[in-house]
Structures are given as structure tokens and as C-alpha cells.
Amino acid sequence: QFLYFIGRIMVAAKPATKINHGRRKGATMRDVSAPKWIRAMAGHLKQSGKLFVPNCTELMKQSHGNQRAPENPDWYFYRAASVLRHVYIHPGTGYGGLGKAYAIKKNNGSRPEKTVKATRGLLHWVCRSLEGLK
């Protein structure tokens, strides 16, 4: 053991413990590729039937920069799984941060394109339906 002083306090340093550099046990969400995890989670959310899906999802656009609504009928489940992963990786993210994360480039015709945020009302509904899974 080594003794050293911090200010006027004497502290005994513990000997270094052996660090295991082998394989880690278990996997986290960062170890799995995002598209694979989102696809699997969306399938699980759809199969479980517990996720609240608003009636107007076939009419909603994901941003005012989009020209049409999504063509995939299961897009709400994919967006819910993606929001779930984003909030897990970046805790404390609000609707504004999620809107910025799902921002797209808006086509303005002959004018330059501009980045626009995603619709935060849709993200609000997604977060509320995910809270209902508790």
C-alpha cells in the first residue's frame, strides 16, 4: 500500500485490482446495429398490440418538409422503436431534440434546400403511446 497526502488528509491507496480485458458479458443497445434493432423492436411492438396508434396515421406526414405521408403502413411502429432507442442512448432528450434528430432537407424547388425539424406533435404522440407500455 502507498500513502499520499491530499491537503492535510492522509489517504491509503488500494492496490490495483486486476482488470478483465476479455469478452464482456451481455450486450447493450450500442452493440447492436441501429437498423436491425429498430426493425426487430418495431415487429415486437406490432405483434404485442399494446402500442396505442392514432387513427390518423395514414394521413400524417412526419415533417412539413415531406411532400407525402409515408408509404409503409407500419411506419408508426418504426418511428416508435427509433424514438425508444434514441431516448435510451441520449437520456433527457425532449421533443425539440427529437425533432432535430429526425430533421430532413426540404425541397424548395429552384431555391436552396433548407433543414426543417420533424413534427413535434407526432413525436408527442409517440412518446405518450410508449409511456402507456409501462
Side-chain angles (χ1 to χ4, degrees):
Q1 286 190 347
F2 297 101
L3 297 176
Y4 57 93
F5 291 94
I6 300 177
R8 294 176 183 235
I9 303 170
M10 187 169 66
V11 179
K14 294 181 181 178
T17 58
K18 183 179 177 187
I19 299 172
N20 186 7
H21 292 290
R23 289 192 105 173
R24 289 182 294 171
K25 294 181 181 177
T28 63
M29 199 177 296
R30 292 179 189 265
D31 297 333
V32 182
S33 70
K36 287 182 182 179
W37 190 89
I38 290 170
R39 192 178 309 117
M41 188 64 189
H44 173 72
L45 290 173
K46 184 177 180 183
Q47 187 179 15
S48 68
K50 296 179 182 177
L51 188 72
F52 171 73
V53 180
N55 294 332
C56 56
T57 54
E58 61 268 357
L59 305 174
M60 277 188 198
K61 295 194 305 180
Q62 294 179 351
S63 172
H64 73 272
N66 291 38
Q67 294 180 355
R68 294 186 301 249
E71 295 178 0
N72 186 355
D74 299 333
W75 70 268
Y76 191 80
F77 298 104
Y78 281 87
R79 179 54 58 101
S82 178
V83 166
L84 188 64
R85 183 180 186 278
H86 193 276
V87 170
Y88 177 83
I89 291 176
H90 306 283
T93 304
Y95 297 132
L98 288 171
K100 197 182 297 183
Y102 297 109
I104 63 163
K105 297 278 189 179
K106 182 177 182 178
N107 183 4
N108 289 325
S110 61
R111 290 180 294 166
E113 56 188 21
K114 183 179 177 183
T115 303
V116 291
K117 292 183 179 179
T119 307
R120 281 165 309 280
L122 168 66
L123 295 170
H124 172 75
W125 277 107
V126 168
C127 290
R128 283 188 59 179
S129 58
L130 286 172
E131 279 185 9
L133 295 177
K134 289 184 182 176

